[in-house]
Amino acid sequence: MECLLVSEAGAHSPLPLPPGTARTLGRGPDTRVTDRHCSRRQGGRWARVLLENGWRDEGVEGLEGWGRERVQLVADYKSKSVRVKQLGTNPTSVNGQVLSPGSEAVWEEGATLHLVNGQYPYSFCFRPLEPAVHQPPSHSDRKRAREGAAEEPAVPSKQACMEESRQEEVVRGGVGKAPAWPQDTWIEDESLLVFTKAGVCARSKFAGFDIDGTIITTKSGKVFPTGVDDWRILFPEIPKRLKQLFQDGYKLVFFTNQRGISRGKLRPQDFQRKVEAVISKLGVPVQVYVSTGLGFYRKPLLGMLDHLRKQGNDGVEIDLDKCLYVGDAAGRPPDWAPGRKKKDFSCSDRLFALNAGIPFNTPEEFFLGWKPATFRLPEFDPRKLQTGLPQYEPPSAPLTVPGSELIVAVGFPGSGKSTFIRDFLVTEGYVYVNRDTLGSWQKCVSVCEAALGSGKRAVVDNTNLDLESRSRYTECARKAGVPCRCFLFTTTFEHSKHNIRFREMTYTGDGHAPVNEVVMNSSRKRYAEPTLSEGFSAILRINFLPRFRDAKLQEHYHLFSEG
């Protein structure tokens, strides 16, 4: 259910009154009232907010007088009424009852509130939430569009609002109209920016799009834009197709990765201005999600989609079976089409759709009707991770031994070495040897020598990918006269990269040094599979069996994390 404040004069879109939350009404952009008789309370705060959000109104002499709060409204959803408190000095009336400063009244449904001196009539209504239904533009709407005026969402009449409220008890779980967003708004949530264009409505299905390379491209012809204004609409067919989708009941949503913002290479204000200009050119209401860094918000992970479903759709549930997504990062190889020599820079858009379980198209397929192009998915598919494997192989071999020995771990960064060693060996009394902690391989060898010299067991938690690294420890064990076993972690290179990305997003403890792409690629070049001939008494193959603190983390782990 929702409560809407309706201007009976049709001056603006309905304003939501959340349950139990005070909302002030007076002169300002939400009501479009410019009457100087409205009180001047807190005008400075409103002016700052409006200026920061780029509000301009040529019919008002400056912004310094805007936001002068007049009355305070609090909706009571149980009694279906609104409590009205007079704040200013000029009289507000509720159904003919004039309020004095500081006094309150209960505003019943069906009555009328006049904001000041018997002017600016308002009503309110309660009604169930439902996806918006597109109405064909009226003659006046078309006239305004021809004259270049911005189209505003249709304002439902008081009678229509009341009728929906009366039908609520009859149609449980039924579908009602969600109000259009009243004005352009930017919000920030950690590494996420969200823009909602005036006129956006909550709907049960969305058509999602990437921006760069999908909706726009550069005017300069360069791969990366030379400035905030270096863009043009990619295909002439795009605006018309988007408008048709809007008319067909889709909410239009753009999802874009812009890590350059968190890296200081792109000013957020510049990108915001670019987004607003693009949507203005398209001429259709769009909601835009911008991931500014790494983490769950970054495609192909579903943080932006989760935000849309939980916080960005006015409580209207989204049916993913009816949604679609379009993007240019589709994993297409070189020469995927005549004249298209370059391969796609990534597969993140296609993987975003795969993670969400919604249909995917490239811009050429969706807007131009091209046949589907060939593509390549990443080598590691987290959805197909093998389960039911033994913790180690051969399973008949002992995991620990009672006497002194040295264990050398071998595996890529992110292959699960530290967790396994901590859980299965350190708990059994093995001395833990790690280069990240000690600082050099020479210190690691010294600690091993000391442990073995006193009859203890030790385990070396380093990558030890090449013969030279491992030989230091097999020689150490030989001199001490104790066996040296190899624990080979079988996690593949691509699987290890997936683990590192997941760890960076979720792990908050100590003990894991950051691992970049250069380090990972270097590790692959150095890798040589260990053999018994190096001096190992046995080689155990350790399988990666992830364990999770909660179901949500497990769900995220089985999503593609990088394209």
Side-chain angles (χ1 to χ4, degrees), residues 127-417:
R127 65 182 186 182
L129 288 168
E130 70 177 335
V133 178
H134 176 77
Q135 299 292 337
S138 65
H139 173 73
S140 58
D141 291 334
R142 290 193 294 269
K143 181 179 179 181
R144 283 201 303 271
R146 287 196 301 268
E147 294 173 351
E151 294 187 18
E152 292 192 22
V155 180
S157 67
K158 173 183 175 182
Q159 291 76 14
C161 231
M162 294 290 292
E163 180 61 26
E164 289 182 7
S165 178
R166 284 193 293 270
Q167 291 178 357
E168 179 187 359
E169 299 300 325
V170 180
V171 186
R172 290 291 182 181
V175 190
K177 289 185 178 180
W181 198 255
Q183 65 186 48
D184 294 359
T185 307
W186 280 98
I187 65 169
E188 183 175 1
D189 185 358
E190 296 179 355
S191 57
L192 179 70
L193 294 173
V194 182
F195 175 67
T196 306
K197 179 68 177 175
V200 166
C201 297
R203 291 178 171 179
S204 61
K205 61 181 180 179
F206 70 82
F209 300 86
D210 182 38
I211 298 180
D212 296 308
T214 300
I215 298 297
I216 61 173
T217 187
T218 60
K219 285 191 296 187
S220 64
K222 297 183 178 180
V223 176
F224 300 105
T226 58
V228 68
D229 298 318
D230 183 18
W231 64 270
R232 63 174 177 83
I233 302 300
L234 179 62
F235 303 130
E237 294 84 355
I238 288 177
K240 182 178 180 181
R241 187 69 188 275
L242 294 183
K243 290 174 183 177
Q244 184 61 54
L245 287 167
F246 183 76
Q247 292 174 6
D248 290 343
Y250 285 91
K251 180 177 184 177
L252 302 178
V253 186
F254 292 171
F255 300 94
T256 180
N257 289 342
Q258 298 293 332
R259 191 185 174 194
I261 292 177
S262 65
R263 298 170 71 182
K265 295 184 177 181
L266 175 62
R267 284 171 20 101
Q269 299 91 332
D270 290 341
F271 189 74
Q272 289 172 350
R273 180 161 67 89
K274 179 178 179 179
V275 165
E276 293 174 15
V278 170
I279 295 177
S280 177
K281 181 72 172 180
L282 294 171
V284 65
V286 181
Q287 192 170 49
V288 183
Y289 281 79
V290 184
S291 170
T292 61
L294 298 174
F296 285 130
Y297 287 132
R298 184 174 175 83
K299 293 181 298 184
L301 291 173
L302 300 179
M304 290 191 284
L305 177 57
D306 289 344
H307 192 285
L308 167 64
R309 299 176 69 183
K310 296 176 182 178
Q311 303 177 48
N313 204 42
D314 294 334
V316 176
E317 186 175 354
I318 292 176
D319 184 354
L320 291 180
D321 291 337
K322 299 179 180 178
C323 299
L324 60 91
Y325 185 71
V326 180
D328 67 310
R332 292 169 291 187
D335 300 314
W336 56 268
R340 308 285 175 138
K341 298 294 183 182
K342 290 186 178 180
K343 68 176 184 178
D344 288 342
F345 67 94
S346 82
C347 196
S348 59
D349 285 321
R350 188 183 297 276
L351 299 181
F352 178 72
L354 274 176
N355 284 340
I358 59 180
F360 174 81
N361 288 109
T362 65
E364 291 78 10
E365 294 162 6
F366 189 78
F367 293 115
L368 304 181
W370 288 19
K371 294 181 179 180
T374 58
F375 62 91
R376 296 170 185 166
L377 293 179
E379 294 179 27
F380 175 69
D381 188 338
R383 303 169 302 172
K384 300 178 181 179
L385 183 64
Q386 280 188 289
T387 59
L389 295 173
Q391 185 68 73
Y392 61 91
E393 299 176 86
S396 59
L399 188 60
T400 61
V401 298
S404 179
E405 73 160 342
L406 181 62
I407 294 176
V408 178
V410 176
F412 293 113
S415 60
K417 300 184 301 299

Side-chain angles (χ1 to χ4, degrees), residues 423-441:
D423 292 349
F424 293 100
L425 299 179
V426 174
T427 55
E428 295 297 319
Y430 280 73
V431 175
Y432 182 69
V433 182
N434 179 267
R435 184 170 178 174
D436 291 338
T437 303
L438 297 174
S440 69
W441 67 263

Side-chain angles (χ1 to χ4, degrees), residues 406 445 448-449 452 471-481:
L406 181 62
V445 170
C448 289
E449 291 174 342
L452 299 180
S471 66
R472 298 162 185 158
Y473 302 106
T474 54
E475 179 64 15
C476 178
R478 187 189 66 79
K479 289 181 179 180

